[in-house]
Amino acid sequence: MKTRAAVLREISRSRPYDRTRPVEIEELRLGTPREGEVRVRTAAASLCHSDLSVVNGDRVRPLPMALGHEAVGVVEEAGPGVDRLAPGDHVALVFVPGCGYCPRCNEGRPALCDRAAAANGSGALLHGPSLLTDASGGPVHHHLGISAFAEHAVVAQESVVPIASDVPFAVASLFGCAVLTGAGAAINTARLGPGRSAVVYGLGGVGLSAVLGARAAGASPIVAVDPVPAKRELALRLGATHAFAPDEAVEAVRDLTGGGAEVAIEAVGSPRVMAAWLDTVGRGGTVVPVGLPAPGRPLEVPALAFAGEGKSIVGSYMGDAVPRRDIPRFLGLWRAGLMPVEELHTHTLALDDINTALEELASGRAVRQVVDTSGLLSAAGRA
């Protein structure tokens, strides 16, 4: 079948985004689901900084590539061997399709699945090569096994988590990346609990989801740090107890916590920030980086911080989430009013406006923009 999709053919050489080399909306041919795969009509896809990192070359991916990795949709067709999904099911899409068999999956850490990492890095799907071709018949790579900035996507069944049909598409679209990564970092990786102090540096969709996760876990104080005043104000509405600009944060955190926070979640992707927060968490404190720096950027920290002060840096990819467990769990917190992720939704755009959305993301003005990929989102709004 044919589908319209946002395709990147050449990276932007300027930072953070060069409108002179826009992502193009192209009509692609999408193959039929193979064994273990499903076709989904995408309803809403939200923009993440990881999308921008592919466009500007910070995350090196094979090109051309159909972009987008955070989305929700409705199953249209199930391939052979798929028995837990059926046409009409509402599903959240997950960018790491844990295979269930590799050593990492067997450890209960599907976010670090070896087979998924290999497939995602090559632009393939978990069960085989790309199913996307362009008008000339040339292959187009999948982005993180999904390629959600499109009307339709074929994905591995391992990339799919069923959700209730009454969850609004715009809300559900945030759970496959932002909430899993941010709230997961606070709850799964940092294991925040009642009364533990936390700092979140960087208040995009992931950082604000970390604030939500910290609040749901009962952490206190929760300090939010970002240079943008509107994002600090939003963090306070979402449960942060304090919010500061970066130049005043270190001293303020030390005063609030009696020497340093127990946990600092870094959601910027800056080695400089990671090193700074290792210096400002207290003895025995932990820095949890969730931001993705450009490959090759070094991290330099005082070696004595580890054995001498008992500090640690603990990486967190996709929030150490088990998607089939955590997406329903986090949706339950949303239903209870404890995780109001709709507050992260900046605005909605059409698929044809993908370059405008990327520009807004690069500017730092937007938190989470949602793309109405196939008209289902606007149709649901009219219902």
Side-chain angles (χ1 to χ4, degrees):
M1 66 175 295
K2 293 182 179 180
T3 189
R4 297 173 70 245
V7 179
L8 175 69
R9 292 190 174 273
E10 185 176 357
I11 65 170
S12 166
R13 295 294 179 181
S14 67
R15 298 293 188 273
Y17 180 62
D18 182 0
R19 281 300 300 274
T20 66
R21 300 187 186 279
V23 174
E24 297 285 351
I25 303 300
E26 299 184 18
E27 186 174 78
L28 303 179
R29 184 168 293 279
L30 178 63
T32 301
R34 298 166 295 207
E35 185 165 359
E37 296 175 340
V38 296
R39 188 180 77 239
V40 175
R41 181 176 176 184
T42 57
S46 62
L47 274 83
C48 171
H49 201 275
S50 294
D51 300 311
L52 187 63
S53 295
V54 175
V55 174
N56 67 25
D58 282 347
R59 302 292 290 170
V60 179
R61 300 294 181 188
L63 301 180
M65 176 168 279
L67 297 177
H69 69 282
E70 181 179 43
V72 65
V74 179
V75 174
E76 287 190 327
E77 181 183 358
V82 176
D83 57 8
R84 62 183 183 85
L85 297 162
D89 287 350
H90 287 216
V91 292
L93 303 182
V94 178
F95 64 92
V96 180
C99 71
Y101 299 101
C102 72
R104 304 290 83 77
C105 285
N106 284 333
E107 293 170 3
R109 305 187 72 187
L112 300 179
C113 174
D114 297 323
R115 287 186 57 205
N120 284 354
S122 69
L125 296 178
L126 186 66
H127 298 295
S130 172
L131 290 173
L132 291 167
T133 54
D134 61 19
S136 66
V140 176
H141 298 90
H142 296 271
H143 184 203
L144 297 178
I146 296 177
S147 294
F149 298 151
E151 295 169 331
H152 303 83
V154 171
V155 301
Q157 63 178 334
E158 292 86 353
S159 291
V160 172
V161 175
I163 61 173
S165 61
D166 65 336
V167 182
F169 288 133
V171 170
S173 69
L174 305 179
F175 279 81
C177 178
V179 176
L180 278 186
T181 301
I187 294 171
N188 296 330
T189 309
R191 298 189 181 278
L192 286 171
R196 296 195 72 201
S197 56
V199 178
V200 178
Y201 192 110
L203 301 177
V206 170
L208 287 167
S209 293
V211 170
L212 288 171
R215 185 186 74 162
S220 182
I222 302 169
V223 182
V225 182
D226 197 278
V228 180
K231 291 183 176 179
R232 298 199 298 269
E233 293 169 8
L234 177 55
L236 291 170
R237 294 203 305 271
L238 295 178
T241 58
H242 305 78
F244 300 100
D247 58 357
E248 59 185 356
V250 172
E251 184 177 351
V253 167
R254 286 175 171 160
D255 289 343
L256 283 168
T257 60
E262 294 174 84
V263 172
I265 296 174
E266 192 276 348
V268 178
S270 165
R272 178 186 59 80
V273 174
M274 296 175 197
W277 281 105
L278 184 66
D279 184 51
T280 51
V281 294
R283 294 176 66 85
T286 301
V287 176
V288 179
V290 297
L292 294 171
R297 292 187 66 187
L299 172 64
E300 296 184 8
V301 296
L304 190 61
F306 304 108
E309 298 178 285
K311 297 180 181 181
S312 59
I313 299 176
V314 180
S316 180
Y317 188 56
M318 202 172 74
D320 281 316
V322 180
R324 292 176 195 163
R325 176 197 70 193
D326 289 337
I327 287 180
R329 178 166 62 158
F330 293 157
L331 279 170
L333 292 173
W334 169 77
R335 288 188 187 278
L338 299 175
M339 198 171 279
V341 300
E342 61 272 16
E343 295 282 347
L344 309 183
H345 181 186
T346 307
H347 50 276
T348 300
L349 302 96
L351 181 60
D352 289 315
D353 295 326
I354 190 67
N355 286 289
T356 299
L358 286 165
E359 188 173 29
E360 282 293 300
L361 180 62
S363 74
R365 293 185 292 265
V367 176
R368 250 346 186 233
Q369 302 168 92
V370 175
V371 179
D372 185 358
T373 48
S374 67
L376 284 178
L377 182 58
S378 54
R382 293 192 299 268

